[in-house]
């Protein structure tokens, strides 16, 4: 059983907002704790896929009818998740593709606008030591490789071009039994569901083309910075290797 003990000190604005709901402090804390429990459970159960705001709203409205109460409870839960657990509960803002061109239709549901993803605010070394699941390192590696490919392509890439690069890594779309990843197609689709990527359909003279673009998680500053730093290191090592190979001919 989870018990969340919240501090008694409250900001004046929060206290004023709370006073309009005509519920006890204990009831309010219980609602906030229930939302937090649900968010942490769903995030773990669904491997980081977005959590719909409607799901959180229903936790409140099943016993309370105050119109503004769900928004208040959700905002308080977001604050507690950040201060206690080190998680940002980030609202997904986008209902359109990242690049709004004619002939393009998004594969994402408009309801995603009212959804949340959970993003760690912990320093990378702390997250690696205490939170990161070493058994999921193969998934992290796959995610990092795909994000790097799309990043190097300018933030978006046609599906066939993405598979071309993945095949060079030994990852084939027809492989349903990869020893670490299982179905490669499903592993790629999971990145869309988790909002590392957004998948859009573009209509052109030669038919429809699927385009993958970096989505919220991949555009997060921590991940984006890490990808850029790693790519810079690879490019530096490659450059040094080329210089060395050239120099051996002059020895």
């Amino acid at each position: 059983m989870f018990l969340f003990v919240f501090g008694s000190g409250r900001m004046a604005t929060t206290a004023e907002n709370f006073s309009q709901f005509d519920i006890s402090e204990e009831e309010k804390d219980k609602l906030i704790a229930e939302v937090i429990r649900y968010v942490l459970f769903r995030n773990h159960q669904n491997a980081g896929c977005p959590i719909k705001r409607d799901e959180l709203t229903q936790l409140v409205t099943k016993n309370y009818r105050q119109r503004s109460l769900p928004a208040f409870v959700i905002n308080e839960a977001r604050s507690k998740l950040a201060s206690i657990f080190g998680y940002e509960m980030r609202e997904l803002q986008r209902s359109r593709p990242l690049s709004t061109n004619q002939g393009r239709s998004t594969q994402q549901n408009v309801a995603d606008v009212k959804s949340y993803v959970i993003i760690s605010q912990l320093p990378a070394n702390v997250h690696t030591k205490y939170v990161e699941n070493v058994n999921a390192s193969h998934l992290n590696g796959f995610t990092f490789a795909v994000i790097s490919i799309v990043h190097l392509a300018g933030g978006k890439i046609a599906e066939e071009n993405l598979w071309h690069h993945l095949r060079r890594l030994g990852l084939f779309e027809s492989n349903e039994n990869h020893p670490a990843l299982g179905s490669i197609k499903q592993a790629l689709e999971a990145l869309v569901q988790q909002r590392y990527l957004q998948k859009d359909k573009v209509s052109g003279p030669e038919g429809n083309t699927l385009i993958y673009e970096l989505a919220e998680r991949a555009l997060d500053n921590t991940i984006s910075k890490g990808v850029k730093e790693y790519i810079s290191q690879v490019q530096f090592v490659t450059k040094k290797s080329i210089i060395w190979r050239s120099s051996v001919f002059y020895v």
Side-chain angles (χ1 to χ4, degrees):
M1 177 180 179
F2 283 94
L3 287 176
F4 300 106
V5 180
F6 303 139
S8 58
R10 311 295 299 172
M11 294 178 63
T13 53
T14 301
E16 290 170 6
N17 291 336
F18 167 60
S19 64
Q20 65 180 297
F21 299 121
D22 192 30
I23 62 173
S24 69
E25 186 85 15
E26 182 181 356
E27 288 176 293
K28 179 207 65 175
D29 285 348
K30 186 177 179 180
L31 284 172
I32 295 170
E34 187 173 1
V35 169
I36 291 174
R37 283 197 302 270
Y38 185 87
V39 167
L40 293 175
F41 173 75
R42 289 285 289 174
N43 185 61
H44 176 74
Q45 183 187 47
N46 293 340
C49 292
I51 301 166
K52 292 181 180 179
R53 185 182 177 92
D54 284 348
E55 296 176 40
L56 305 182
T57 297
Q58 289 170 13
L59 295 176
V60 179
T61 57
K62 65 182 179 182
N63 292 318
Y64 298 90
R65 295 290 177 263
Q66 292 90 329
R67 190 168 185 177
S68 302
L69 184 59
F72 173 83
V73 170
I74 291 171
N75 286 335
E76 286 292 291
R78 293 175 73 180
S79 177
K80 296 299 180 184
L81 276 166
S83 62
I84 297 174
F85 296 96
Y87 284 122
E88 177 188 358
M89 188 171 148
R90 183 175 300 178
E91 184 172 0
L92 303 181
Q93 299 290 342
R94 193 171 63 250
S95 60
R96 297 192 296 264
L98 287 171
S99 302
T100 53
N101 298 328
Q102 287 188 346
R104 169 174 286 207
S105 62
T106 180
Q107 296 294 303
Q108 303 295 336
N109 194 310
V110 174
D112 283 348
V113 176
K114 296 183 179 180
S115 299
Y116 299 96
V117 290
I118 305 303
I119 297 175
S120 175
Q121 294 179 314
L122 296 175
N125 60 326
V126 175
H127 186 273
T128 300
K129 185 175 181 179
Y130 296 105
V131 179
E132 191 171 287
N133 182 4
V134 294
N135 295 322
S137 58
H138 57 288
L139 296 175
N140 295 335
F142 176 74
T143 302
F144 192 85
V146 173
I147 291 174
S148 298
I149 291 169
V150 180
H151 173 79
L152 287 170
K156 59 182 178 180
I157 189 171
E159 181 183 41
E160 180 52 40
N161 291 339
L162 176 57
W163 279 115
H164 169 75
H165 291 292
L166 290 176
R167 285 193 289 268
R168 295 181 66 183
L169 298 175
L171 301 172
F172 298 89
E173 57 266 56
S174 60
N175 192 340
E176 297 287 334
N177 298 294
H178 187 277
L181 298 169
S183 169
I184 304 300
K185 271 190 174 181
Q186 289 182 12
L188 182 61
E189 182 61 27
L191 299 187
V192 176
Q193 298 299 321
Q194 295 164 1
R195 299 301 288 242
Y196 286 103
L197 298 176
Q198 170 140 333
K199 183 170 63 173
D200 305 312
K201 185 183 294 183
V202 176
S203 300
E206 298 181 1
N208 295 329
T209 303
L210 282 176
I211 300 292
Y212 286 91
E213 296 189 58
L214 299 178
E216 289 89 353
R217 284 184 183 274
L219 293 171
D220 178 69
N221 184 57
T222 302
I223 294 177
S224 179
K225 183 179 178 182
V227 168
K228 290 175 183 177
E229 288 179 352
Y230 182 77
I231 291 172
S232 296
Q233 291 173 13
V234 171
Q235 290 174 334
F236 177 72
V237 171
T238 303
K239 185 177 180 181
K240 285 184 66 177
S241 177
I242 292 172
I243 293 173
W244 178 83
R245 290 177 183 177
S246 301
S247 66
V248 296
F249 293 102
Y250 299 97
V251 174

